[in-house]
Each structure stands twice: as structure tokens, then as C-alpha cells.
Short mmCIF file of all heavy atoms in Angstrom, two decimals:
data_model
loop_
_atom_site.label_atom_id
_atom_site.label_comp_id
_atom_site.label_asym_id
_atom_site.label_seq_id
_atom_site.Cartn_x
_atom_site.Cartn_y
_atom_site.Cartn_z
N ILE A 1 2.79 0.31 2.48
CA ILE A 1 2.42 0.94 3.75
C ILE A 1 2.06 -0.09 4.81
O ILE A 1 2.47 0.01 5.96
CB ILE A 1 1.25 1.93 3.53
CG1 ILE A 1 1.74 3.13 2.72
CG2 ILE A 1 0.67 2.39 4.85
CD1 ILE A 1 0.68 4.18 2.47
N PHE A 2 1.29 -1.10 4.44
CA PHE A 2 0.87 -2.14 5.37
C PHE A 2 1.44 -3.49 4.91
O PHE A 2 1.63 -3.71 3.70
CB PHE A 2 -0.66 -2.24 5.44
CG PHE A 2 -1.33 -0.94 5.81
CD1 PHE A 2 -2.00 -0.18 4.85
CD2 PHE A 2 -1.29 -0.47 7.11
CE1 PHE A 2 -2.62 1.01 5.18
CE2 PHE A 2 -1.92 0.73 7.46
CZ PHE A 2 -2.58 1.47 6.49
N PRO A 3 1.71 -4.42 5.84
CA PRO A 3 2.22 -5.74 5.44
C PRO A 3 1.28 -6.46 4.48
O PRO A 3 1.72 -7.08 3.52
CB PRO A 3 2.34 -6.49 6.78
CG PRO A 3 2.45 -5.41 7.81
CD PRO A 3 1.63 -4.27 7.30
N THR A 4 -0.01 -6.36 4.74
CA THR A 4 -1.04 -6.89 3.84
C THR A 4 -2.18 -5.88 3.80
O THR A 4 -2.22 -4.94 4.60
CB THR A 4 -1.59 -8.25 4.33
OG1 THR A 4 -2.15 -8.08 5.64
CG2 THR A 4 -0.49 -9.30 4.38
N SER A 5 -3.11 -6.07 2.89
CA SER A 5 -4.24 -5.14 2.78
C SER A 5 -5.03 -5.09 4.09
O SER A 5 -5.23 -6.11 4.75
CB SER A 5 -5.17 -5.57 1.63
OG SER A 5 -4.50 -5.45 0.40
N VAL A 6 -5.48 -3.89 4.44
CA VAL A 6 -6.23 -3.69 5.69
C VAL A 6 -7.60 -3.10 5.38
O VAL A 6 -7.81 -2.51 4.32
CB VAL A 6 -5.46 -2.76 6.65
CG1 VAL A 6 -4.13 -3.37 7.06
CG2 VAL A 6 -5.24 -1.38 6.03
N GLU A 7 -8.51 -3.24 6.32
CA GLU A 7 -9.85 -2.69 6.12
C GLU A 7 -9.78 -1.16 6.16
O GLU A 7 -9.08 -0.57 6.97
CB GLU A 7 -10.81 -3.20 7.19
CG GLU A 7 -12.24 -2.73 6.96
CD GLU A 7 -13.23 -3.35 7.94
OE1 GLU A 7 -12.82 -4.22 8.73
OE2 GLU A 7 -14.40 -2.95 7.92
N TYR A 8 -10.52 -0.54 5.26
CA TYR A 8 -10.54 0.91 5.14
C TYR A 8 -11.50 1.48 6.18
O TYR A 8 -12.71 1.24 6.15
CB TYR A 8 -10.98 1.31 3.74
CG TYR A 8 -11.01 2.80 3.47
CD1 TYR A 8 -9.85 3.49 3.16
CD2 TYR A 8 -12.21 3.50 3.49
CE1 TYR A 8 -9.87 4.85 2.89
CE2 TYR A 8 -12.24 4.87 3.22
CZ TYR A 8 -11.07 5.53 2.92
OH TYR A 8 -11.09 6.87 2.66
N ASN A 9 -10.98 2.24 7.14
CA ASN A 9 -11.79 2.92 8.14
C ASN A 9 -11.08 4.23 8.51
O ASN A 9 -10.04 4.56 7.93
CB ASN A 9 -12.02 2.03 9.37
CG ASN A 9 -10.72 1.47 9.95
OD1 ASN A 9 -9.71 2.19 10.04
ND2 ASN A 9 -10.73 0.20 10.34
N GLU A 10 -11.62 4.94 9.44
CA GLU A 10 -11.05 6.24 9.81
C GLU A 10 -9.59 6.10 10.25
O GLU A 10 -8.72 6.90 9.85
CB GLU A 10 -11.88 6.87 10.94
CG GLU A 10 -13.28 7.31 10.54
CD GLU A 10 -13.27 8.55 9.66
OE1 GLU A 10 -12.21 9.20 9.55
OE2 GLU A 10 -14.32 8.86 9.06
N LYS A 11 -9.31 5.08 11.04
CA LYS A 11 -7.95 4.91 11.58
C LYS A 11 -6.94 4.59 10.49
O LYS A 11 -5.89 5.24 10.38
CB LYS A 11 -7.96 3.80 12.63
CG LYS A 11 -6.59 3.54 13.25
CD LYS A 11 -6.65 2.41 14.27
CE LYS A 11 -5.26 2.13 14.84
NZ LYS A 11 -5.28 1.00 15.81
N THR A 12 -7.26 3.59 9.64
CA THR A 12 -6.31 3.20 8.61
C THR A 12 -6.18 4.28 7.54
O THR A 12 -5.11 4.47 6.96
CB THR A 12 -6.72 1.87 7.96
OG1 THR A 12 -8.07 1.97 7.45
CG2 THR A 12 -6.65 0.73 8.96
N MET A 13 -7.27 5.00 7.27
CA MET A 13 -7.20 6.08 6.29
C MET A 13 -6.25 7.17 6.78
O MET A 13 -5.41 7.67 6.02
CB MET A 13 -8.58 6.67 6.01
CG MET A 13 -8.55 7.81 4.99
SD MET A 13 -10.13 8.65 4.77
CE MET A 13 -10.28 9.51 6.35
N GLU A 14 -6.39 7.59 8.04
CA GLU A 14 -5.53 8.63 8.59
C GLU A 14 -4.06 8.20 8.57
O GLU A 14 -3.17 9.00 8.25
CB GLU A 14 -5.97 8.97 10.02
CG GLU A 14 -7.28 9.71 10.12
CD GLU A 14 -7.24 11.07 9.41
OE1 GLU A 14 -6.14 11.69 9.39
OE2 GLU A 14 -8.27 11.49 8.87
N GLU A 15 -3.82 6.92 8.91
CA GLU A 15 -2.44 6.41 8.90
C GLU A 15 -1.87 6.45 7.48
O GLU A 15 -0.72 6.86 7.27
CB GLU A 15 -2.43 4.97 9.43
CG GLU A 15 -1.03 4.39 9.56
CD GLU A 15 -1.03 3.00 10.16
OE1 GLU A 15 -2.09 2.56 10.68
OE2 GLU A 15 0.02 2.33 10.11
N ALA A 16 -2.69 6.05 6.51
CA ALA A 16 -2.23 6.05 5.12
C ALA A 16 -2.02 7.48 4.61
O ALA A 16 -1.04 7.75 3.91
CB ALA A 16 -3.24 5.32 4.24
N LEU A 17 -2.91 8.39 4.96
CA LEU A 17 -2.79 9.78 4.52
C LEU A 17 -1.48 10.40 5.00
O LEU A 17 -0.79 11.10 4.26
CB LEU A 17 -3.97 10.61 5.01
CG LEU A 17 -5.31 10.39 4.31
CD1 LEU A 17 -6.41 11.17 5.01
CD2 LEU A 17 -5.22 10.81 2.84
N LYS A 18 -1.12 10.13 6.25
CA LYS A 18 0.12 10.69 6.80
C LYS A 18 1.33 10.17 6.04
O LYS A 18 2.27 10.91 5.74
CB LYS A 18 0.23 10.33 8.29
CG LYS A 18 -0.77 11.06 9.17
CD LYS A 18 -0.65 10.62 10.63
CE LYS A 18 -1.68 11.33 11.50
NZ LYS A 18 -1.62 10.86 12.91
N LYS A 19 1.31 8.87 5.70
CA LYS A 19 2.45 8.28 5.00
C LYS A 19 2.51 8.76 3.56
O LYS A 19 3.60 8.99 3.02
CB LYS A 19 2.37 6.76 5.08
CG LYS A 19 2.57 6.23 6.50
CD LYS A 19 2.56 4.71 6.55
CE LYS A 19 2.82 4.21 7.97
NZ LYS A 19 2.83 2.73 8.05
N VAL A 20 1.35 8.91 2.91
CA VAL A 20 1.33 9.37 1.52
C VAL A 20 1.84 10.80 1.43
O VAL A 20 2.58 11.16 0.50
CB VAL A 20 -0.10 9.26 0.95
CG1 VAL A 20 -0.20 9.99 -0.39
CG2 VAL A 20 -0.49 7.81 0.76
N GLU A 21 1.47 11.64 2.38
CA GLU A 21 1.89 13.04 2.36
C GLU A 21 3.40 13.17 2.53
O GLU A 21 4.00 14.17 2.13
CB GLU A 21 1.15 13.82 3.44
CG GLU A 21 -0.33 14.05 3.11
CD GLU A 21 -1.12 14.61 4.28
OE1 GLU A 21 -0.57 14.61 5.41
OE2 GLU A 21 -2.27 15.03 4.07
N LYS A 22 4.04 12.15 3.12
CA LYS A 22 5.50 12.19 3.31
C LYS A 22 6.24 11.52 2.17
O LYS A 22 7.48 11.52 2.15
CB LYS A 22 5.85 11.49 4.63
CG LYS A 22 5.36 12.22 5.87
CD LYS A 22 5.74 11.46 7.13
CE LYS A 22 5.22 12.18 8.39
NZ LYS A 22 5.56 11.41 9.62
N MET A 23 5.51 10.93 1.21
CA MET A 23 6.16 10.24 0.09
C MET A 23 6.98 11.22 -0.72
O MET A 23 6.56 12.34 -0.99
CB MET A 23 5.10 9.59 -0.82
CG MET A 23 4.64 8.24 -0.36
SD MET A 23 3.53 7.51 -1.60
CE MET A 23 3.09 5.97 -0.80
N GLU A 24 8.17 10.77 -1.13
CA GLU A 24 9.01 11.57 -2.01
C GLU A 24 9.47 10.73 -3.19
O GLU A 24 9.45 9.50 -3.15
CB GLU A 24 10.24 12.09 -1.23
CG GLU A 24 9.89 13.07 -0.11
CD GLU A 24 11.13 13.60 0.59
OE1 GLU A 24 12.24 13.27 0.14
OE2 GLU A 24 10.99 14.33 1.57
N ASP A 25 9.88 11.41 -4.24
CA ASP A 25 10.37 10.73 -5.44
C ASP A 25 11.82 10.35 -5.22
O ASP A 25 12.74 10.93 -5.80
CB ASP A 25 10.22 11.65 -6.65
CG ASP A 25 10.59 10.95 -7.94
OD1 ASP A 25 10.75 9.72 -7.91
OD2 ASP A 25 10.74 11.63 -8.97
N ASP A 26 12.04 9.34 -4.35
CA ASP A 26 13.41 9.03 -3.93
C ASP A 26 13.76 7.55 -4.07
O ASP A 26 14.72 7.07 -3.48
CB ASP A 26 13.62 9.46 -2.47
CG ASP A 26 12.65 8.78 -1.52
OD1 ASP A 26 11.76 8.04 -1.98
OD2 ASP A 26 12.79 8.99 -0.30
N LEU A 27 12.95 6.80 -4.86
CA LEU A 27 13.21 5.37 -4.99
C LEU A 27 13.88 5.01 -6.32
O LEU A 27 14.00 3.85 -6.67
CB LEU A 27 11.89 4.58 -4.86
CG LEU A 27 11.26 4.60 -3.47
CD1 LEU A 27 9.94 3.84 -3.48
CD2 LEU A 27 12.19 4.01 -2.42
N GLY A 28 14.31 6.00 -7.07
CA GLY A 28 15.03 5.72 -8.31
C GLY A 28 14.11 5.57 -9.50
O GLY A 28 13.06 6.19 -9.57
N GLY A 29 14.53 4.71 -10.45
CA GLY A 29 13.82 4.55 -11.72
C GLY A 29 12.46 3.90 -11.57
O GLY A 29 11.97 3.63 -10.47
N THR A 30 11.84 3.65 -12.73
CA THR A 30 10.48 3.10 -12.75
C THR A 30 10.53 1.58 -12.95
O THR A 30 10.67 1.10 -14.08
CB THR A 30 9.65 3.74 -13.87
OG1 THR A 30 9.69 5.15 -13.72
CG2 THR A 30 8.20 3.28 -13.82
N GLU A 31 10.47 0.82 -11.87
CA GLU A 31 10.46 -0.65 -11.94
C GLU A 31 9.13 -1.14 -11.38
O GLU A 31 8.92 -1.13 -10.16
CB GLU A 31 11.63 -1.24 -11.15
CG GLU A 31 13.01 -0.88 -11.69
CD GLU A 31 13.30 -1.55 -13.03
OE1 GLU A 31 12.61 -2.53 -13.35
OE2 GLU A 31 14.21 -1.08 -13.74
N ILE A 32 8.23 -1.53 -12.26
CA ILE A 32 6.89 -1.90 -11.83
C ILE A 32 6.72 -3.42 -11.68
O ILE A 32 5.88 -3.88 -10.92
CB ILE A 32 5.85 -1.36 -12.84
CG1 ILE A 32 5.93 0.17 -12.91
CG2 ILE A 32 4.44 -1.77 -12.47
CD1 ILE A 32 4.95 0.80 -13.87
N LEU A 33 7.55 -4.20 -12.38
CA LEU A 33 7.35 -5.65 -12.41
C LEU A 33 7.43 -6.28 -11.02
O LEU A 33 6.57 -7.08 -10.65
CB LEU A 33 8.39 -6.29 -13.34
CG LEU A 33 8.14 -7.76 -13.69
CD1 LEU A 33 6.86 -7.92 -14.49
CD2 LEU A 33 9.33 -8.31 -14.48
N GLN A 34 8.44 -5.91 -10.24
CA GLN A 34 8.62 -6.54 -8.92
C GLN A 34 7.46 -6.25 -7.96
O GLN A 34 6.94 -7.18 -7.32
CB GLN A 34 9.95 -6.11 -8.30
CG GLN A 34 11.18 -6.76 -8.91
CD GLN A 34 11.52 -6.21 -10.28
OE1 GLN A 34 11.24 -5.04 -10.55
NE2 GLN A 34 12.13 -7.02 -11.13
N PRO A 35 7.02 -4.98 -7.83
CA PRO A 35 5.87 -4.77 -6.94
C PRO A 35 4.61 -5.46 -7.44
O PRO A 35 3.81 -5.95 -6.63
CB PRO A 35 5.70 -3.24 -6.92
CG PRO A 35 6.49 -2.73 -8.07
CD PRO A 35 7.60 -3.70 -8.28
N LEU A 36 4.42 -5.56 -8.76
CA LEU A 36 3.26 -6.28 -9.29
C LEU A 36 3.31 -7.75 -8.89
O LEU A 36 2.31 -8.34 -8.47
CB LEU A 36 3.21 -6.15 -10.81
CG LEU A 36 2.62 -4.87 -11.40
CD1 LEU A 36 2.64 -4.95 -12.93
CD2 LEU A 36 1.22 -4.61 -10.90
N GLU A 37 4.48 -8.35 -9.03
CA GLU A 37 4.64 -9.76 -8.66
C GLU A 37 4.33 -9.96 -7.18
O GLU A 37 3.70 -10.96 -6.80
CB GLU A 37 6.06 -10.24 -8.98
CG GLU A 37 6.34 -10.36 -10.47
CD GLU A 37 7.79 -10.69 -10.77
OE1 GLU A 37 8.66 -10.36 -9.93
OE2 GLU A 37 8.06 -11.25 -11.85
N HIS A 38 4.75 -9.02 -6.35
CA HIS A 38 4.49 -9.12 -4.91
C HIS A 38 2.99 -8.99 -4.63
O HIS A 38 2.44 -9.73 -3.81
CB HIS A 38 5.28 -8.04 -4.16
CG HIS A 38 5.25 -8.20 -2.67
ND1 HIS A 38 4.29 -7.63 -1.87
CD2 HIS A 38 6.06 -8.91 -1.84
CE1 HIS A 38 4.51 -7.94 -0.62
NE2 HIS A 38 5.58 -8.72 -0.57
N ILE A 39 2.33 -8.06 -5.32
CA ILE A 39 0.89 -7.88 -5.13
C ILE A 39 0.14 -9.14 -5.54
O ILE A 39 -0.74 -9.63 -4.81
CB ILE A 39 0.40 -6.66 -5.94
CG1 ILE A 39 0.93 -5.36 -5.33
CG2 ILE A 39 -1.14 -6.63 -6.00
CD1 ILE A 39 0.72 -4.14 -6.20
N TYR A 40 0.47 -9.70 -6.70
CA TYR A 40 -0.23 -10.88 -7.18
C TYR A 40 0.03 -12.11 -6.32
O TYR A 40 -0.74 -13.06 -6.33
CB TYR A 40 0.15 -11.17 -8.64
CG TYR A 40 -0.32 -10.13 -9.62
CD1 TYR A 40 0.47 -9.74 -10.70
CD2 TYR A 40 -1.57 -9.52 -9.49
CE1 TYR A 40 0.04 -8.79 -11.61
CE2 TYR A 40 -2.00 -8.57 -10.39
CZ TYR A 40 -1.20 -8.21 -11.46
OH TYR A 40 -1.63 -7.27 -12.35
N SER A 41 1.15 -12.10 -5.59
CA SER A 41 1.46 -13.24 -4.72
C SER A 41 0.61 -13.23 -3.45
O SER A 41 0.53 -14.25 -2.75
CB SER A 41 2.94 -13.24 -4.35
OG SER A 41 3.24 -12.18 -3.44
N GLN A 42 -0.01 -12.09 -3.15
CA GLN A 42 -0.86 -12.00 -1.97
C GLN A 42 -2.22 -12.65 -2.26
O GLN A 42 -2.79 -12.41 -3.32
CB GLN A 42 -1.09 -10.53 -1.57
CG GLN A 42 0.18 -9.72 -1.37
CD GLN A 42 0.99 -10.19 -0.19
OE1 GLN A 42 0.45 -10.39 0.89
NE2 GLN A 42 2.28 -10.39 -0.38
N PRO A 43 -2.74 -13.46 -1.36
CA PRO A 43 -4.04 -14.08 -1.62
C PRO A 43 -5.16 -13.05 -1.68
O PRO A 43 -5.13 -12.05 -0.95
CB PRO A 43 -4.23 -15.04 -0.43
CG PRO A 43 -3.35 -14.48 0.66
CD PRO A 43 -2.19 -13.85 -0.05
N CYS A 44 -6.12 -13.28 -2.57
CA CYS A 44 -7.27 -12.39 -2.64
C CYS A 44 -8.13 -12.56 -1.38
O CYS A 44 -8.21 -13.65 -0.81
CB CYS A 44 -8.11 -12.69 -3.88
SG CYS A 44 -7.31 -12.26 -5.44
N ILE A 45 -8.77 -11.49 -0.97
CA ILE A 45 -9.63 -11.51 0.21
C ILE A 45 -11.03 -11.94 -0.22
O ILE A 45 -11.60 -11.34 -1.15
CB ILE A 45 -9.68 -10.13 0.88
CG1 ILE A 45 -8.26 -9.73 1.32
CG2 ILE A 45 -10.63 -10.12 2.08
CD1 ILE A 45 -8.16 -8.31 1.83
N PRO A 46 -11.60 -12.98 0.39
CA PRO A 46 -12.93 -13.44 -0.01
C PRO A 46 -13.97 -12.31 0.02
O PRO A 46 -13.95 -11.46 0.90
CB PRO A 46 -13.26 -14.51 1.06
CG PRO A 46 -11.93 -14.99 1.52
CD PRO A 46 -11.03 -13.79 1.48
N LYS A 47 -14.81 -12.30 -0.99
CA LYS A 47 -15.89 -11.31 -1.12
C LYS A 47 -15.37 -9.89 -1.36
O LYS A 47 -16.13 -8.93 -1.28
CB LYS A 47 -16.80 -11.31 0.12
CG LYS A 47 -17.35 -12.67 0.52
CD LYS A 47 -18.30 -13.23 -0.51
CE LYS A 47 -18.91 -14.54 -0.04
NZ LYS A 47 -19.81 -15.13 -1.06
#
């Protein structure tokens, strides 16, 4: 949904809710390895 993790507030929550409600099962099979690798490549946010 976002290029990188964003702070959770009213604005970002509403934006995420709208996108989640439009999600459909249209991306094919279950491939978890690639998104995991992408997540782990993102630097952790201090604190």
C-alpha cells in the first residue's frame, strides 16, 4: 500500500482501510518468499 512503512494516524488508517476494502483475490497463487525478502530488505525504524 505504501512505498515504506508510515506512521499510523487517522489519515493513513483511512487510506489503508479504503485500499483493503477493495482488495480482491486476483494475484494468483501463494508466493510468500518474495514479499518477505522485500520486507526484510527495508531498514528497521529506530525505537
Side-chain angles (χ1 to χ4, degrees):
I1 291 181
F2 304 106
T4 59
S5 294
V6 297
E7 184 174 355
Y8 182 80
N9 53 41
E10 291 288 348
K11 180 181 177 181
T12 56
M13 180 186 70
E14 289 299 328
E15 185 177 349
L17 286 174
K18 290 178 181 177
K19 292 183 178 180
V20 169
E21 287 170 349
K22 293 179 181 179
M23 276 186 182
E24 295 182 5
D25 185 12
D26 59 356
L27 292 178
T30 305
E31 296 291 341
I32 299 180
L33 192 65
Q34 285 74 29
L36 279 181
E37 290 174 335
H38 190 270
I39 290 169
Y40 293 142
S41 72
Q42 306 294 312
C44 291
I45 300 172
K47 308 294 184 182

